[in-house]
Amino acid sequence: MNPKRCAACKYLRRKCPKDCIFSPYFPPSDPHKFACIHRIYGAGNVSKMLQQLPVQTRAEAVESLSFEAKCRVDDPVYGCVGIISLLQTQIQKTQTLLAKTQAEIAVAQTKHSQHTNL
């Protein structure tokens, strides 16, 4: 076993070629990252996606795929859409609370100014 094989090649039980498309993005120290991506998208599809992208955008694409795959593994029905929905709900509740608090402050300031004018 070659200890320098990337996590993808280890997972796929193959030799890691020098020009491995996965090697820069899946270090041997993080095998779970590739396992999630492979489970959701498949190694062949990920390889094709990476080959179609410019080299400078591949790392960001891998991080995005990794996040989306992890979310899909954690929540097979909604995936990252579930997280987005939860965050949107929290934003709406916080905005409502903020508006209520601002209204209470305005009322308190009005009462205070009326009492000082008397």
Side-chain angles (χ1 to χ4, degrees):
M1 297 295 261
N2 182 0
K4 295 183 181 182
R5 286 189 303 167
C6 68
C9 289
K10 279 185 180 180
Y11 186 88
L12 298 171
R13 296 182 180 163
R14 67 180 193 188
K15 290 183 179 182
C16 192
K18 289 183 181 182
D19 62 343
C20 178
I21 189 93
F22 299 120
S23 183
Y25 315 107
F26 299 102
S29 60
D30 192 5
H32 183 70
K33 182 177 179 179
F34 180 77
C36 280
I37 289 177
H38 175 65
R39 180 175 172 188
I40 301 301
Y41 300 107
N45 290 330
V46 174
S47 175
K48 288 176 194 172
M49 281 189 258
L50 291 176
Q51 288 172 352
Q52 291 175 355
L53 292 172
V55 175
Q56 64 271 18
T57 62
R58 290 179 183 174
E60 192 173 334
V62 167
E63 290 307 311
S64 178
L65 289 171
S66 177
F67 178 76
E68 291 177 28
K70 185 184 177 313
C71 289
R72 184 61 66 181
V73 167
D74 293 344
D75 185 353
V77 176
Y78 294 107
C80 62
V81 173
I83 293 172
I84 293 168
S85 177
L86 176 69
L87 292 173
Q88 286 176 334
T89 301
Q90 288 176 350
I91 289 169
Q92 289 171 347
K93 287 179 180 179
T94 304
Q95 286 174 334
T96 301
L97 180 62
L98 176 62
K100 185 177 177 182
T101 303
Q102 287 172 334
E104 290 173 358
I105 290 170
V107 168
Q109 286 175 338
T110 303
K111 286 181 180 179
H112 179 68
S113 65
Q114 286 175 352
H115 287 292
T116 57
N117 290 339
L118 293 176

